[in-house]
Amino acid sequence: MGVAVHLVDQRPEQILTALENIRDTSRSALDELRVTVGLLRQSDEPVAPRDPMPGLAQVPALLASFERAGLAVSDTWRGITEPLEPAVDLAAYRIVQESLTNVRKHAGADHARLFLHYHGERLTITVEDDGCAGPHDPHPGAGHGLIGMRERATTIGGTLYAGPRPEGGFTVTAELPLRPGPAGNRRHEHDDSRTACR
């Protein structure tokens, strides 16, 4: 909330964006906590009723919601679909969700492409668009979504690249294990720059 208070005086036009980011971050943190508790629960303990955690099974509904908001997303699935453990399934869904949210908010594009490729013991998620990508936006909160996505991938032993496409637009590519493992030591060079189209 401190960011929103600061923006009241400095950039009042950005208060709504700041509050939306706070809402989304809080909701995501609660979801992560629920998954962690579920994974730690012993099998013989009673399971309290709760809504199903989001995962790739909910991607069609997610894409439909973006289409209603004005962003059409074509999706391509390759390989033999493998069941994902809950932590990986949630991370994959959130990466898709956050990537498309960034396209809608910042790319100035009305179409995006989603690719999900199962190969071996890994899942590759790619989201790309033909919108604009430019120098790092100095406004508060810029890049937080990308940082969060990278942390999600790293936590389960995956990696994430985000940056401008040579032919224009922006791309996010995540490499995730089908089953969570230790955080990887590999580091990818990346350019997380994108500004809203003016």
Side-chain angles (χ1 to χ4, degrees), residues 75-88:
D75 59 310
T76 303
W77 301 63
R78 296 176 55 196
I80 300 174
T81 302
E82 297 281 350
L84 304 177
E85 293 195 10
V88 178

Side-chain angles (χ1 to χ4, degrees), residues 15-97:
I15 293 175
L16 180 58
T17 299
L19 291 175
E20 287 177 345
N21 289 337
I22 292 168
R23 178 201 61 197
D24 294 343
T25 301
S26 299
R27 183 178 298 157
S28 177
L30 286 173
D31 287 341
E32 292 286 355
L33 181 59
R34 289 167 62 188
V35 167
T36 302
V37 171
L39 293 175
L40 294 175
R41 186 186 302 277
Q42 297 298 318
S43 60
D44 58 348
E45 290 181 347
V47 178
R50 60 182 178 84
D51 295 332
M53 291 302 303
L56 292 184
Q58 284 74 47
V59 163
L62 178 67
L63 301 189
S65 70
F66 276 104
E67 186 165 3
R68 289 191 296 271
L71 177 67
V73 184
S74 62
D75 59 310
T76 303
W77 301 63
R78 296 176 55 196
I80 300 174
T81 302
E82 297 281 350
L84 304 177
E85 293 195 10
V88 178
D89 208 16
L90 175 62
Y93 177 87
R94 293 301 186 201
I95 288 171
V96 171
Q97 181 184 44

Side-chain angles (χ1 to χ4, degrees), residues 78 91-92 94-96 98-100 102-103 113-119 122-129 145-146 148-154 157-167 169-177 186-192 194:
R78 296 176 55 196
R94 293 301 186 201
I95 288 171
V96 171
E98 184 65 34
S99 297
L100 293 175
N102 284 346
V103 174
R113 296 173 293 277
L114 167 65
F115 303 92
L116 295 105
H117 183 198
Y118 291 84
H119 51 102
R122 302 190 72 76
L123 167 66
T124 301
I125 300 171
T126 302
V127 176
E128 61 183 30
D129 65 74
L146 292 169
M149 286 191 287
R150 184 168 291 108
E151 289 175 349
R152 287 182 187 279
T154 301
T159 58
L160 186 136
Y161 163 87
R165 302 171 63 229
E167 58 271 59
F170 202 81
T171 187
V172 173
T173 299
E175 292 275 354
L176 306 180
R186 289 185 301 162
R187 302 180 68 91
H188 282 273
E189 293 298 321
H190 57 273
D191 180 355
D192 290 344
R194 184 205 282 284

